[in-house]
C-alpha cells in the first residue's frame, strides 16, 4: 500500500521517493491549490479545528451557510445542504424520500454507498444490468411497483463510464418514478458548467430527479452535499437523523469548499484541461492495444482478464516512478484493472512518460 508522505498533486512522495501520481480523484488539482490551502489556514486561525457540535444543535457557523449558498449558486438551485461525507448522502436522501417509493431499481455495479443507503423498509431491491436502460425498462414493466425509485452512479468510480441518463430518465418518467444519481465523480467535471451528469445530458429541471454529490473529489475538499429546492433541503435539516446527529463540517473544510467553488466557477478551463489530458491518455491506451472502458471522464481503467497481469502492470509502473493503482475496491465488477486518473495539473511530460511506460510494458508482457 502506498503511504503518502506529502500532499497530493501531480506528484506525491511515498517511502522517501517522488512519484508521478495518476491516482485518486483530485481531478482539478484543487486539493493542494494555494488558494484553497490559504482559505483553510485562515479558517483554522479564525475558528480552530472543529465546531464540535452538530449542525442541528450549536454547530452551525457562518461559513457553513456561506458554503451552502455557494453550492446552491454553483448548482443553480434554491439551496444546498452539506454533511460529513458523500457516502452518507445516499443514505440521507433515500431515508428522507422513503414515503415516496416502495421498491428500488439499482444498477448492478452501483457504488457501495448506494447499496448501504437503501433502507431495510423497501419492499424490494431489483438490480438492472450495468448501464443498461433496456434491462431497467424490462424489470420496471415486470414489477408490480407503482412507486419505483431508480438509483445509479452518474460516473462509475472504477471504470469512468457515464450512466446513460438520456435513456434512463424518460423510462423513469414513464413509470412515475424517482431518479437518484450519485454524481460524486461528475461534480465539477461534467456538464458545461460542471453541474454533473444531469447537465451533461441536458435533463430538464424535474423535482423527481435528485443528485447526491461530494466535495471530496474534483472540488479537492471534503464532505457531501445535496442541492435542490428549499422544501427538499428543509426536510433533510428537519428529518434526517444522520444529518442532525453528526458533527458539523470542520472549519478548514468548509472554507476550502468555498474557495474551490470560486476557482471552478472562475476557471472553466480547468475541467476542460482535465478532460483533454484524459482524452490524450485514453486515445493512446486504446492505440497501444489495451482494453479500457468508458470515455469522456478523467477515470481510465486498464482492464485485464487476470489479476496477476493487472497488479503486475501497476507494480511495473511503480518501479518506473508512477502510481496507477491495481484496484481492490468494494464494488461488484467481474474484471481486474488498474485505474488511471488524469487531472488538469498533469504536465505533458508526465503524460508522455506514462504512455511510454505503458507502451514498454505492453511490448514486453502483452495484454492478457
Ligand atoms: C460513486 C461514489 N459515491 C460516493 C462516494 C463517497 O464519497 P465521499 O468520499 O465523499 O464519502 C464515492 C467515493 O468514494 C463514490 O465513488
Amino acid at each position: 500500500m502506498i503511504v503518502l508522505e506529502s500532499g497530493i498533486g501531480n506528484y506525491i512522495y511515498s517511502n522517501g521517493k517522488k512519484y508521478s501520481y495518476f491516482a485518486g480523484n483530485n481531478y482539478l488539482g484543487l486539493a493542494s491549490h494555494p488558494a484553497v490551502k490559504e482559505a483553510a489556514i485562515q479558517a483554522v486561525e479564525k475558528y480552530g479545528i472543529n465546531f464540535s457540535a452538530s449542525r442541528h444543535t450549536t454547530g452551525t457557523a457562518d461559513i457553513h451557510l456561506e458554503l451552502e449558498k455557494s453550492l446552491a449558486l454553483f448548482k443553480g438551485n434554491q439551496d444546498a445542504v452539506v454533511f460529513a461525507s458523500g457516502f452518507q448522502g445516499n443514505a440521507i436522501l433515500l431515508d428522507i424520500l422513503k414515503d415516496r417509493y416502495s421498491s428500488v431499481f439499482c444498477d448492478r455495479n452501483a457504488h457501495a454507498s448506494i447499496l448501504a443507503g437503501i433502507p431495510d423498509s423497501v419492499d424490494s431491491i431489483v438490480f438492472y444490468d450495468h448501464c443498461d436502460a433496456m434491462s431497467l425498462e424490462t424489470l420496471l414493466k415486470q414489477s408490480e411497483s407503482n412507486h419505483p425509485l431508480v438509483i445509479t452512479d452518474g460516473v462509475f468510480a472504477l471504470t469512468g463510464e457515464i450512466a446513460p441518463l438520456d435513456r434512463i430518465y424518460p423510462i423513469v418518467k414513464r413509470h412515475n418514478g424517482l431518479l437518484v444519481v450519485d454524481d460524486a465523480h461528475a461534480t465539477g467535471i461534467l456538464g458545461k458548467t460542471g453541474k454533473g451528469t444531469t447537465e451533461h445530458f441536458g435533463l430538464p429541471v424535474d423535482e423527481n430527479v435528485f443528485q447526491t454529490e461530494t466535495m471530496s473529489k474534483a472540488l479537492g475538499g471534503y464532505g457531501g452535499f445535496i442541492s435542490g429546492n428549499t422544501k427538499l433541503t428543509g426536510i433533510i435539516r428537519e428529518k434526517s437523523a444522520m444529518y442532525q446527529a453528526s458533527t458539523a463540517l470542520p472549519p478548514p473544510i468548509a472554507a476550502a469548499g468555498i474557495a474551490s467553488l470560486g476557482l471552478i466557477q472562475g476557471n472553466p478551463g480547468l475541467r476542460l484541461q482535465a478532460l483533454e489530458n484524459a482524452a490524450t491518455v485514453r486515445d493512446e491506451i486504446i492505440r497501444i492495444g489495451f482494453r479500457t472502458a468508458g470515455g469522456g471522464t478523467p477515470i481510465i481503467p486498464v482492464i485485464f482478464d487476470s489479476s496477476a497481469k493487472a497488479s503486475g502492470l501497476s507494480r511495473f509502473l511503480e518501479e518506473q516512478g508512477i502510481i496507477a493503482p491495481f484496484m481492490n475496491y468494494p464494488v461488484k465488477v467481474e474484471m481486474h484493472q488498474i485505474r488511471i486518473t488524469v487531472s488538469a495539473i498533469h504536465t505533458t511530460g508526465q503524460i508522455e512518460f506514462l504512455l511510454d511506460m505503458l507502451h514498454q510494458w505492453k511490448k514486453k508482457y502483452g495484454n492478457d
Side-chain angles (χ1 to χ4, degrees):
M1 187 176 73
I2 288 293
V3 177
L4 296 165
E5 293 163 356
S6 68
I8 52 160
N10 49 343
Y11 291 96
I12 56 142
Y13 283 86
S14 179
N15 212 8
K17 198 174 153 193
K18 185 177 178 183
Y19 289 96
S20 196
Y21 192 59
F22 285 91
N25 310 294
N26 183 27
Y27 306 127
L28 302 179
L30 297 180
S32 297
H33 191 286
V36 178
K37 290 204 294 194
E38 185 53 30
I41 291 165
Q42 293 298 326
V44 170
E45 292 290 349
K46 181 169 175 186
Y47 301 97
I49 299 299
N50 186 1
F51 295 113
S52 199
S54 83
R55 290 288 304 281
H56 194 59
T57 56
T58 56
T60 292
D62 49 2
I63 43 172
H64 294 128
L65 303 182
E66 190 183 337
L67 174 59
E68 289 174 338
K69 201 167 154 195
S70 305
L71 284 166
L73 273 175
F74 165 59
K75 294 291 297 182
N77 275 327
Q78 274 180 351
D79 195 13
V81 56
V82 298
F83 37 81
S85 74
F87 197 102
Q88 282 188 354
N90 291 311
I92 289 174
L93 188 67
L94 293 181
D95 176 49
I96 59 118
L97 293 176
K98 67 175 181 285
D99 295 338
R100 294 180 57 193
Y101 63 91
S102 49
S103 39
V104 173
F105 291 76
C106 179
D107 186 287
R108 195 172 286 290
N109 292 4
H111 190 259
S113 61
I114 292 180
L115 303 181
I118 300 174
D120 293 338
S121 58
V122 294
D123 289 348
S124 60
I125 305 174
V126 180
F127 292 96
Y128 63 90
D129 291 344
H130 178 52
C131 282
D132 188 339
M134 291 253 290
S135 161
L136 170 65
E137 170 120 72
T138 306
L139 291 166
L140 279 167
K141 277 186 186 151
Q142 283 166 4
S143 139
E144 314 266 279
S145 171
N146 293 324
H147 303 289
L149 178 143
V150 175
I151 186 161
T152 177
D153 304 38
V155 169
F156 287 81
L158 287 182
T159 56
E161 294 157 291
I162 302 174
L165 297 185
D166 51 341
R167 277 174 280 141
I168 288 176
Y169 169 73
I171 294 170
V172 178
K173 200 147 177 71
R174 271 203 300 282
H175 289 265
N176 294 317
L178 306 178
L179 174 61
V180 176
V181 183
D182 177 338
D183 248 351
H185 294 274
T187 306
I189 299 295
L190 292 188
K192 215 166 66 196
T193 61
K195 291 188 179 74
T197 47
T198 50
E199 184 181 36
H200 173 79
F201 285 113
L203 299 194
V205 176
D206 184 328
E207 290 197 353
N208 293 328
V209 176
F210 306 86
Q211 284 168 287
T212 51
E213 304 186 63
T214 182
M215 292 175 279
S216 70
K217 303 190 191 301
L219 268 69
Y222 201 79
F225 72 96
I226 292 169
S227 71
N229 58 27
T230 49
K231 191 169 154 217
L232 176 74
T233 53
I235 293 173
I236 294 172
R237 292 190 179 102
E238 282 156 31
K239 295 249 162 71
S240 167
M242 206 174 250
Y243 169 81
Q244 291 185 346
S246 167
T247 299
L249 277 188
I253 294 303
I258 297 166
S260 43
L261 281 169
L263 287 165
I264 286 178
Q265 288 171 292
N267 303 278
L270 265 182
R271 61 168 211 91
L272 296 176
Q273 188 64 57
L275 292 175
E276 193 182 311
N277 288 349
T280 305
V281 172
R282 184 187 304 276
D283 290 351
E284 188 59 16
I285 278 177
I286 292 169
R287 209 189 61 74
I288 295 171
F290 284 110
R291 186 145 64 97
T292 186
T297 74
I299 303 167
I300 306 166
V302 183
I303 299 167
F304 298 90
D305 292 333
S306 91
S307 69
K309 278 274 157 135
S311 57
L313 172 57
S314 180
R315 260 195 320 277
F316 169 83
L317 290 173
E318 192 175 325
E319 282 157 18
Q320 317 309 317
I322 297 169
I323 303 296
F326 168 64
M327 292 314 281
N328 179 7
Y329 193 71
V331 167
K332 192 165 162 279
V333 282
E334 293 91 18
M335 61 192 188
H336 308 279
Q337 69 165 89
I338 69 165
R339 178 180 185 266
I340 295 173
T341 45
V342 182
S343 90
I345 55 173
H346 282 122
T347 64
T348 308
Q350 274 184 294
I351 289 172
E352 282 171 359
F353 185 65
L354 167 72
L355 293 171
D356 195 22
M357 290 305 108
L358 285 169
H359 214 276
Q360 283 195 21
W361 186 89
K362 184 82 165 92
K363 267 211 301 224
K364 219 164 156 181
Y365 301 106
N367 196 6
D368 359 76

